[in-house]
Amino acid sequence: MNTLTAYEKARAIYQCWILSLYIQAGINNRKLPHDIFTKKLTIKNNGVVVATINRSSQGTPDMNGIVDNLSNITKGTCFLAFDEALDEIYGGKPKIYSDNPTDSLRAIIYMMRCAFAHNPGSPEWRINKKKFERSFKIEKINFVIDFSQLNGKALDVSQHGGFCQLWRLMEYCMGIIEINSTKKANNQE
């Protein structure tokens, strides 16, 4: 039985995304040599070999592409966990999203989650409900995304202001989840 709170799950997955960014930077900046990923790898559980992976005969893989995918998939998993945590904090999804920071955050995270959930390797916008066919804004972090013209398009960081804005969104969301989860835990004591 999983006893982690939605906050703890979100934090753990968020840390995996951060780790993927470190790995990506290490590969892209040649701090992690590509050949370490082609060496024989033995996986043990309690001292017992459970698997051996040997990619040496397959040559050096496209590590830049692989770490880009790793980063993308862990980012998508963050949105899934963030959405679950926000639902735990605020209850079910709003029937109508108001123009306030909380509803905007929830709509943005939910739509990001949906883009990754339908195709984690190549996220695509699926805006099937009128209530999402508009612009959402979180003024505190200067984050704006207009979903009105995105349905069916591949997710691209330029649609929401680039990586810097994505970083602000992720940090902001994690902060909101942490603060509200702490408040909720304190109220239950």
Side-chain angles (χ1 to χ4, degrees):
M1 181 174 184
N2 192 346
T3 59
L4 293 178
T5 66
Y7 162 71
E8 291 166 330
K9 288 185 240 177
R11 188 81 193 156
I13 293 167
Y14 180 71
Q15 292 301 325
C16 288
W17 179 60
I18 300 297
L19 176 62
S20 78
L21 295 176
Y22 275 102
I23 293 169
Q24 186 175 33
I27 292 292
N28 292 341
N29 296 323
R30 302 243 177 244
K31 302 288 183 191
L32 284 173
H34 291 196
D35 67 340
I36 67 169
F37 297 99
T38 60
K39 294 181 179 173
K40 183 178 175 179
L41 173 65
T42 302
I43 301 170
K44 295 181 180 182
N45 184 7
N46 295 324
V48 177
V49 175
V50 294
T52 302
I53 302 169
N54 191 357
R55 303 263 189 244
S56 60
S57 63
Q58 298 173 359
T60 303
D62 172 20
M63 291 310 300
N64 293 332
I66 291 170
V67 295
D68 287 349
N69 285 334
L70 175 64
S71 175
N72 217 23
I73 290 167
T74 54
K75 177 177 34 181
T77 307
C78 277
F79 288 120
L80 291 163
F82 287 176
D83 187 56
E84 179 185 345
L86 291 170
D87 284 351
E88 184 178 288
I89 292 165
Y90 298 110
K93 304 274 187 280
K95 292 190 187 310
I96 298 172
Y97 288 89
S98 300
D99 289 328
N100 65 57
T102 301
D103 279 4
S104 289
L105 175 65
R106 294 191 71 196
I108 293 164
I109 295 299
Y110 177 70
M111 293 311 296
M112 294 273 200
R113 170 224 175 276
C114 289
F116 281 95
H118 294 297
N119 189 348
S122 184
E124 182 179 290
W125 297 109
R126 299 244 177 116
I127 296 124
N128 300 324
K129 294 181 181 174
K130 280 277 189 213
K131 65 182 177 180
F132 295 110
E133 292 178 354
R134 66 184 188 89
S135 183
F136 290 91
K137 181 177 185 177
I138 305 169
E139 286 186 25
K140 185 173 184 175
I141 59 170
N142 197 29
F143 188 97
V144 180
I145 186 166
D146 184 355
F147 292 118
S148 65
Q149 303 297 313
L150 296 180
N151 190 39
K153 294 182 180 174
L155 187 147
D156 185 279
V157 294
S158 66
Q159 296 158 339
H160 52 72
F163 181 82
C164 233
Q165 288 302 98
L166 175 69
W167 178 263
R168 286 187 184 120
L169 175 68
M170 301 285 266
E171 287 280 296
Y172 178 75
C173 185
M174 197 63 240
I176 294 294
I177 293 167
E178 182 175 13
I179 289 166
N180 286 288
S181 295
T182 302
K183 284 180 187 176
K184 187 176 178 180
N186 290 339
N187 289 338
Q188 291 176 351
E189 291 176 357

